């Protein structure tokens, strides 16, 4: 059944047009006079109420609103608000006079609301950012696309399906309420170990905190120095091993590297006393395990996001213990060490928020669904309201998408570690203060780290903004290569060369700021992975046969399980 075409409203008479033209003209004149007339004697000028700047904004809002009415009663008039690229309103139904007016009204109100926040004076910058974040969240929530009565697509769908879309949407919503989490992808389309995290390998070590996976070589010769990857424990490790064509792990193996991956255990009540020190010493333990297994002096290490932050602490810890030679190089995927400008997550680390987080962990661990909800809020338009409209109101089926399936595969966090991480790093920024933090009684000083480092940042990253990641270049004392990749926190990292997507920027000249780096940078189309692989080879280009201990389970550590192991499947 096809959607019914919108019925055009009756054209107003000449007399009616003249009347409404006079009304709007007179209203604009009154607002102009009010804006230009100072308050009467004795009436104080109150910022945000009757100061000249506020009166000008009120006049502009009134003018824009009146122009909308003119457009509505005279559809032949020029649009009062130029349409902005916004996929929420791309359906043709939004072109009808009524719903176009609804769209423009929403656009005018939201624009003026956000401009009003920007115009606030005398407000602490941090508080102003929190207000701006809250205002954007409110604006996104109040979009006419989110309500059946103001969304023409939903109205047409109700007619077309005789309301069955609402029943299907209600079913989707009740299912999400039952599991305590918003669904983003078809949960039946993927299975870990079958079409996700399927790169062949073996689990060769298991501790109460992590499993160590050794991947099967696919080349006859492999690089002498192995690669050991530390993924963030706030997510499952297989973001780096999605489908074979997207898998960084498979790509590295095919490039001739011996690859190891740490798979962290999702926290439960047995981990209530786990703290940050335990993750640092776990990284050291994994480094030593790989060194001993392959009889090598050092390993290439990789840290993604929070595991990259911890890797920086691990390097400082090893440096303080005169053991820095255990790490041949350190690669950081969109990781931060300086949290002074750590992006929108800072909105969630004030004292009240930290107190609330403490109440959500009665058994000593934080349910991963809370963290998932927080990250969804950072991109509410795309990760919340888009699914409310499509899957609750329109009753559409969920689309299979491996990345979103991974995003919904949440992990729990040790409560003590989580609170100390937010407090010590996000709130107090202690890692950048030499000696302010310690691990096992060993004081940490990032300025003593001389390990060669490769630092990748995402140009559009909202979790670890590139300006914040850049600060790592001021923290370390050793040779460092900074690469700015196109896209964000995930797509900027998971960008296989075969896809031919995005780009990256490099700059070999000395620069002190990210702006200077970008100004003199060279852009290269496609993935940065080959640049990184070359950088690793430049550190040490020796190769050895892919035999004996280089085969998972054939060395001193027997295979415990096939990859991807047990921990990645625990809930």
């Amino acid at each position: 059944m096809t959607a019914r075409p919108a019925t055009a409203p009756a054209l107003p008479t000449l007399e009616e047009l003249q009347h409404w033209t006079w009304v709007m003209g007179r209203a604009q004149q009154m607002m102009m006079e009010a804006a230009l007339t100072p308050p009467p004697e004795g009436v104080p000028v109150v910022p945000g109420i009757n100061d000249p700047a506020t009166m000008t904004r009120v006049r502009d809002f009134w003018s824009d609103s009146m122009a909308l009415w003119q457009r509505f009663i005279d559809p032949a008039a020029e649009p009062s608000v130029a349409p902005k690229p916004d996929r929420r309103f791309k359906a043709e139904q939004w072109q009808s006079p009524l719903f176009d007016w609804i769209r423009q009204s929403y656009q005018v109100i939201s624009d003026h609301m956000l401009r009003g926040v920007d115009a606030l004076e005398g407000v602490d910058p941090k508080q102003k950012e929190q207000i701006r974040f809250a205002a954007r969240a409110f604006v996104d929530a109040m979009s006419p696309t989110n309500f059946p009565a103001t969304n023409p697509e939903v109205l047409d769908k109700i007619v077309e399906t005789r309301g069955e879309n609402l029943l299907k949407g209600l079913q989707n919503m009740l299912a999400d309420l039952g599991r305590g989490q918003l669904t983003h992808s078809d949960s039946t389309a993927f299975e870990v170990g079958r079409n996700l995290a399927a790169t062949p390998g073996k689990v060769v070590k298991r501790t109460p905190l992590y499993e160590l996976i050794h991947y099967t070589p696919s080349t006859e010769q492999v690089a002498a120095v192995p690669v050991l990857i530390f993924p963030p424990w706030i997510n499952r490790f297989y973001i780096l091993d999605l489908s074979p064509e997207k898998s960084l792990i498979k790509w590295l193996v095919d490039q001739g590297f011996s690859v190891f991956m740490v798979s962290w255990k999702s926290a439960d009540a047995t981990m209530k006393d786990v703290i940050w020190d335990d993750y640092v010493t776990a990284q050291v333990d994994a480094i030593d395990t790989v060194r001993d297994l392959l009889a090598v002096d050092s390993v290439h290490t990789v840290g993604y996001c929070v595991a990259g932050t911890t890797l920086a602490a691990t390097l400082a810890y090893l440096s303080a213990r005169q053991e820095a030679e255990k790490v041949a190089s350190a690669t950081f995927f969109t990781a931060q060490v300086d949290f002074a400008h750590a992006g929108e997550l800072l909105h969630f680390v004030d004292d009240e928020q930290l107190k609330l987080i403490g109440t959500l962990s009665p058994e000593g661990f934080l349910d991963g669904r809370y963290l998932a909800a927080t990250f969804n809020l950072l991109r509410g338009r795309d990760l919340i309201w888009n699914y409310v409209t499509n899957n609750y109101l329109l009753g559409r089926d969920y689309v299979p998408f491996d990345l979103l399936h991974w995003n919904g595969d949440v992990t729990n966090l040790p409560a003590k570690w989580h609170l100390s991480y937010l407090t010590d790093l996000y709130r107090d920024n202690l890692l950048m203060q030499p000696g302010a933090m310690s691990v096992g009684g060993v004081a940490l000083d990032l300025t003593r780290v001389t390990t060669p480092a490769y630092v990748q940042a995402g140009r559009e990253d909202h979790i670890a903004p590139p300006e914040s990641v850049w600060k790592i270049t001021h923290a370390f004392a050793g040779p460092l290569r900074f690469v700015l990749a196109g896209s964000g926190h995930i797509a900027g990292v998971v960008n296989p060369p075969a896809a031919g997507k995005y780009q990256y920027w490099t700059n070999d000249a000395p620069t002190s700021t990210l702006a200077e780096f970008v100004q003199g940078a060279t852009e290269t189309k496609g993935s940065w992975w080959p640049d990184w692989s070359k950088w690793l080879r430049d550190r040490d280009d020796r190769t050895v046969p892919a035999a004996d201990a280089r085969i998972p389970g054939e060395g001193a550590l027997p295979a415990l399980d096939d990859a991807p192991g047990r921990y990645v499947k625990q809930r």
Side-chain angles (χ1 to χ4, degrees):
M1 183 177 179
T2 57
R4 297 182 303 176
T7 302
L11 293 176
T13 66
L14 179 60
E15 184 180 357
E16 289 172 332
L17 283 175
Q18 291 174 336
H19 171 75
W20 284 109
T21 300
W22 173 81
V23 168
M24 289 184 287
R26 178 57 184 147
Q28 289 180 328
Q29 181 183 3
M30 292 169 64
M31 291 300 300
M32 180 72 74
E33 292 172 351
L36 296 176
T37 303
E41 187 175 350
V43 176
V45 176
V46 182
I49 301 295
N50 62 348
D51 63 286
T54 300
M55 292 300 294
T56 297
R57 290 195 300 273
V58 171
R59 182 202 67 200
D60 291 343
F61 175 69
W62 185 267
S63 297
D64 288 345
S65 299
M66 289 298 98
L68 275 179
W69 275 108
Q70 183 175 6
R71 167 69 173 164
F72 183 61
I73 64 175
D74 183 9
E78 288 295 320
S80 55
V81 180
K84 294 182 178 179
D86 192 330
R87 61 184 180 183
R88 293 176 297 178
F89 304 103
K90 67 180 181 181
E92 63 178 355
Q93 291 96 321
W94 287 101
Q95 304 306 312
S96 71
L98 173 60
F99 290 105
D100 184 49
W101 175 76
I102 290 175
R103 175 196 63 78
Q104 291 190 66
S105 297
Y106 166 71
Q107 184 177 318
V108 166
I109 293 171
S110 59
D111 285 353
H112 281 275
M113 180 179 292
L114 295 176
R115 270 190 269 166
V117 173
D118 292 336
L120 287 175
E121 297 180 357
V123 179
D124 177 77
K126 180 179 179 180
Q127 185 179 15
K128 189 172 182 177
E129 283 299 318
Q130 290 176 324
I131 296 172
R132 183 182 288 111
F133 178 81
R136 284 201 307 268
F138 177 78
V139 163
D140 287 341
M142 295 309 295
S143 169
T145 56
N146 301 335
F147 303 93
T150 53
N151 188 327
E153 287 187 89
V154 175
L155 293 174
D156 282 355
K157 200 70 173 177
I158 291 172
V159 174
E160 177 187 337
T161 66
R162 301 181 66 185
E164 291 186 13
N165 62 301
L166 296 180
L167 293 179
K168 177 68 180 299
L170 180 61
Q171 181 182 23
N172 290 337
M173 185 182 73
L174 293 176
D176 284 355
L177 290 174
R179 64 195 292 262
Q181 188 179 354
L182 192 68
T183 298
H184 291 132
S185 177
D186 180 3
S187 60
T188 65
F190 301 101
E191 181 183 353
V192 172
R194 178 175 62 86
N195 54 1
L196 294 174
T199 301
K202 304 288 184 181
V203 175
V204 295
K205 182 173 184 175
R206 180 178 295 117
T207 77
L209 193 55
Y210 75 91
E211 289 180 333
L212 183 64
I213 302 171
H214 183 191
Y215 290 96
T216 304
S218 63
T219 57
E220 293 184 358
Q221 294 282 320
V222 293
V225 181
V227 176
L228 172 58
I229 303 174
F230 299 110
W233 46 89
I234 60 176
N235 303 107
R236 307 286 178 177
F237 82 84
Y238 64 87
I239 183 59
L240 298 176
D241 191 23
L242 293 171
S243 55
E245 62 272 12
K246 296 180 182 177
S247 173
L248 174 65
I249 295 172
K250 183 180 185 305
W251 185 85
L252 278 174
V253 169
D254 290 345
Q255 294 299 305
F257 288 97
S258 289
V259 181
F260 292 80
M261 170 68 74
V262 164
S263 175
W264 302 104
K265 182 180 179 182
S266 179
D268 55 26
T270 66
M271 296 170 61
K272 61 183 178 65
D273 293 322
V274 169
I275 58 176
W276 198 40
D277 294 38
D278 296 303
Y279 284 100
V280 173
T281 54
Q283 289 190 343
V284 174
D285 179 63
I287 290 169
D288 287 338
T289 299
V290 175
R291 291 175 59 248
D292 293 342
L293 175 64
L294 301 187
V296 295
D297 294 329
S298 59
V299 302
H300 293 303
T301 56
V302 181
Y304 192 170
C305 190
V306 297
T309 306
T310 310
L311 178 58
T314 298
L315 298 178
Y317 175 80
L318 291 174
S319 295
R321 291 168 56 92
Q322 306 301 313
E323 297 175 346
E325 70 281 354
K326 292 181 177 181
V327 179
S329 75
T331 296
F332 298 88
F333 294 166
T334 191
Q336 302 171 94
V337 298
D338 186 331
F339 291 79
H341 303 285
E344 293 180 335
L345 279 174
L346 286 172
H347 301 323
F348 298 90
V349 292
D350 59 27
D351 291 340
E352 290 301 317
Q353 295 278 5
L354 294 174
K355 187 183 300 183
L356 173 62
I357 291 172
T359 66
L360 299 177
S361 313
E363 298 182 64
F365 67 91
L366 180 70
D367 191 312
R369 289 172 292 189
Y370 291 117
L371 195 64
T374 299
F375 283 107
N376 286 343
L377 283 171
L378 295 181
R379 285 296 178 267
R381 179 183 298 185
D382 295 327
L383 294 179
I384 297 178
W385 300 112
N386 176 51
Y387 294 90
V388 167
T389 300
N390 283 309
N391 303 108
Y392 293 174
L393 300 184
L394 292 169
R396 291 172 177 162
D397 292 329
Y398 293 99
V399 176
F401 190 6
D402 52 4
L403 180 59
L404 288 177
H405 179 88
W406 164 83
N407 189 58
D409 192 1
V410 299
T411 59
N412 304 326
L413 304 179
K416 282 188 177 180
W417 166 84
H418 185 55
L419 277 175
S420 64
Y421 192 89
L422 294 177
T423 302
D424 295 343
L425 299 180
Y426 271 91
R427 191 190 69 181
D428 299 335
N429 203 22
L430 296 182
L431 190 57
M432 287 298 290
Q433 303 175 32
M437 298 186 71
S438 62
V439 170
V442 177
L444 304 180
D445 184 354
L446 298 184
T447 64
R448 295 183 58 185
V449 174
T450 58
T451 304
Y454 187 102
V455 179
Q456 176 269 341
R459 183 181 61 174
E460 299 164 17
D461 195 333
H462 63 285
I463 295 174
E467 295 81 6
S468 184
V469 175
W470 171 262
K471 297 296 184 66
I472 203 170
T473 66
H474 300 298
F476 294 158
L480 184 146
R481 181 170 179 79
F482 183 88
V483 171
L484 181 64
S487 199
H489 196 69
I490 302 300
V493 174
V494 184
N495 183 24
K501 296 177 66 175
Y502 310 124
Q503 68 283 103
Y504 65 94
W505 291 266
T506 55
N507 188 347
D508 294 329
T511 54
S512 58
T513 67
L514 180 61
E516 289 181 15
F517 172 90
V518 171
Q519 186 176 14
T522 299
E523 178 180 346
T524 303
K525 298 295 183 183
S527 173
W528 55 270
W529 292 5
D531 180 82
W532 175 47
S533 175
K534 180 180 182 302
W535 184 85
L536 291 176
R537 297 283 188 186
D538 288 344
R539 308 277 75 72
D540 192 322
D541 62 357
R542 293 173 299 142
T543 61
V544 297
D548 301 324
R550 297 282 174 159
I551 306 297
E554 295 297 318
L557 296 178
L560 304 178
D561 279 305
D562 289 333
R566 300 180 187 177
Y567 283 173
V568 73
K569 299 178 181 179
Q570 292 182 352
R571 299 294 173 262

